[in-house]
Amino acid sequence: MPMSVFPTDDLETRPTTLPDTLEGVRGIDLHLHSTASDGKLSPAELADLCHARGLTHVALTDHDTIEGVVEAQARCRHHGINLMTAAELSCQWRGIGIHIVALLPQGASRNFESGLEILARARELRSREIAHRLEKVGLADGLAKARREAGSERPLGRPDFAAALVTAGVVADTKTAFKRYLGAGKRGDVKMHWPELATVVGWIRETGGVAVVAHPLRYGMTRRKRDLLFSAFIDAGGEAAELVSGYQNPDTTHDLARQLDFHGLYGSIGSDFHYPGGPLSPGTISPPPRSHVKPVWCHPALRRFACGE
Ligand code: AMP
Ligand code: MN
Ligand code: MN
Ligand code: MN
C-alpha cells in the first residue's frame, strides 16, 4: 500500500537536520514540477501546497529550466521551507531518452545556464520535428496547437502535443496519445536533439551539483541494462539515483535499493508531482525500505540544505 503523507500537525516537532536513512523519512520531496515546465501550479502555488502538506525540504525540478526557482524560493522562505535550486535535464544514452535531476545546492553557474540554453534550443527543434511527425497521423499545424495548449511562452513538451491530439480529436485522451504516438519508442518520441548523458552530468558537476538518475524504473529497461546505465552515469561523474519516484511496487523498490547499494549511489526520493487532482501530491511516495542506501541529502555538497543553514 502506498503511504500517504504525514499529518501537518507535527510541524512544530519536525527535525532541523535530516535523518541519515531513507526508511521512514518524511517531509522531503526532491522532484516537483511547476508551470515553468509541464506542471499545472505556479511556483508560488506549488510552494503553498508543499507547506500545506507539511514538507520541509524540497527541490523544484522543472524540465530543462530553473525559471520557476526565484518565485518558488520567495514563497518557500515565507513558509520556512528549504528549497534547493534544481532541474530535470533531458538527455540520451544509447538512444534512450533519460532524465537526470540536477540538484544545485550552490545554484546555477553561467556554464550550467549555457547548458540550459542548449536544452531550450534542443526542445525547440524537437517540437518542430514532433509536429512534423504528427502531421502524418492527422494533426495539422501541431506546433501552433501545442503552443495554444501550453497557454504561455514556456518551452513545449510532449504533454502539450498530447493535449493538442486530444483537442483535435485524433485520440480520446492523453493516456492514449502517449500510448500511440508520444511514449517511448513511438513516432513522437524524438530524442536526437538531446545532449548525451555524460554532457549533462558534466554541467551538473561543474556547477558543484549532484546528478541524480530520475525514476530509473520508468525507462522500460531490464535490470542488466540499468546496471549499464548506472555504470555509464557514474563514469560521467553521476552520484545518485531516485530510489522512490511516486508510487512503486515494494519488491521492485527493494531490488532497486540493492542495485543502488551495489553501485554506491546515493538515493533520492520525489513524487514527480505535476498537478493536483491526480494520484500524487507533493510528498506522496511509496515508503522507502530499510536499506544501506544513503540519502542524497547526506552528500557533503547538500549539507547546508539538509541542515537548513
Ligand atoms: P518531455 O519533457 O517533453 O519529453 O515530456 C515528458 C513528460 O511527459 C513527462 O515528464 C511527463 O510529464 C509526461 N508523460 C510522459 N509519459 C506520459 C504518459 N504515458 N502519460 C502522461 N504523461 C506522460
Ligand atoms: Mn513532466
Ligand atoms: Mn521525468
Ligand atoms: Mn519529472
Side-chain angles (χ1 to χ4, degrees):
M1 272 292 287
M3 187 184 69
S4 187
V5 289
F6 45 91
T8 51
D9 58 8
D10 66 353
L11 287 179
E12 309 295 279
T13 56
R14 68 195 181 191
T16 50
T17 48
L18 299 177
D20 59 6
T21 57
L22 285 155
E23 191 194 15
V25 75
R26 50 198 201 163
I28 305 169
D29 192 331
L30 302 180
H31 194 142
L32 297 160
H33 292 272
S34 78
T35 48
S37 67
D38 58 2
K40 295 269 193 270
L41 296 184
S42 71
E45 289 168 335
L46 177 68
D48 288 347
L49 183 56
C50 288
H51 176 63
R53 304 287 294 177
L55 299 182
T56 60
H57 293 76
V58 301
L60 180 62
T61 56
D62 275 309
H63 296 287
D64 304 320
T65 181
I66 54 168
E67 286 289 311
V69 170
V70 170
E71 182 184 316
Q73 186 66 269
R75 200 75 193 138
C76 280
R77 253 193 217 120
H78 169 82
H79 289 306
I81 296 172
N82 295 311
L83 176 130
M84 185 162 33
T85 301
E88 182 177 12
L89 306 186
S90 310
C91 64
Q92 55 172 318
W93 173 75
R94 296 193 175 186
I96 304 168
I98 303 287
H99 288 172
I100 303 293
V101 166
L103 297 177
L104 307 174
Q106 300 176 46
S109 63
R110 188 158 290 213
N111 190 53
F112 185 84
E113 295 205 350
S114 310
L116 292 181
E117 282 165 28
I118 290 170
L119 288 167
R121 270 198 301 280
R123 204 167 259 283
E124 180 92 37
L125 292 171
R126 184 186 76 143
S127 292
R128 285 183 218 168
E129 178 64 23
I130 293 174
H132 177 66
R133 293 191 187 184
L134 293 182
E135 270 174 32
K136 296 186 187 71
V137 302
L139 186 74
D141 208 14
L143 200 56
K145 285 179 181 158
R147 172 59 62 206
R148 221 170 295 142
E149 296 290 344
S152 78
E153 286 307 300
R154 67 157 173 79
L156 296 177
R158 280 181 284 168
D160 304 312
F161 286 96
L165 286 167
V166 175
T167 302
V170 177
V171 290
D173 52 36
T174 303
K175 193 168 169 237
T176 314
F178 271 94
K179 199 168 162 209
R180 285 203 197 141
Y181 303 124
L182 293 159
K186 303 297 172 185
R187 71 170 65 221
D189 175 32
V190 181
K191 292 146 308 201
M192 63 196 179
H193 304 93
W194 297 133
E196 286 294 328
L197 172 78
T199 304
V200 306
V201 173
W203 296 337
I204 297 166
R205 293 281 298 199
E206 283 158 21
T207 190
V210 176
V212 185
V213 176
H215 42 68
L217 300 174
R218 259 192 271 150
Y219 302 114
M221 288 179 185
T222 60
R223 194 181 200 278
R224 170 82 190 121
K225 189 83 181 242
R226 214 157 44 237
D227 266 327
L228 296 175
L229 168 65
F230 288 148
S231 295
F233 175 69
I234 290 164
D235 285 347
E239 298 173 279
E242 288 179 347
L243 176 60
V244 183
S245 170
Y247 292 140
Q248 279 179 200
N249 173 301
D251 293 338
T252 322
T253 304
H254 195 80
D255 186 50
L256 181 60
R258 287 173 42 135
Q259 205 172 11
L260 297 200
D261 188 33
F262 174 82
H263 285 278
L265 289 163
Y266 286 92
S268 187
I269 51 170
S271 60
D272 206 357
F273 171 78
H274 281 74
Y275 53 86
L280 295 167
S281 249
T284 324
I285 56 164
S286 301
R290 177 186 303 243
S291 77
H292 296 298
V293 178
K294 270 202 186 164
V296 70
W297 49 85
C298 289
H299 189 291
L302 268 56
R303 230 194 104 65
R304 284 170 63 88
F305 169 75
C307 293
E309 284 164 29

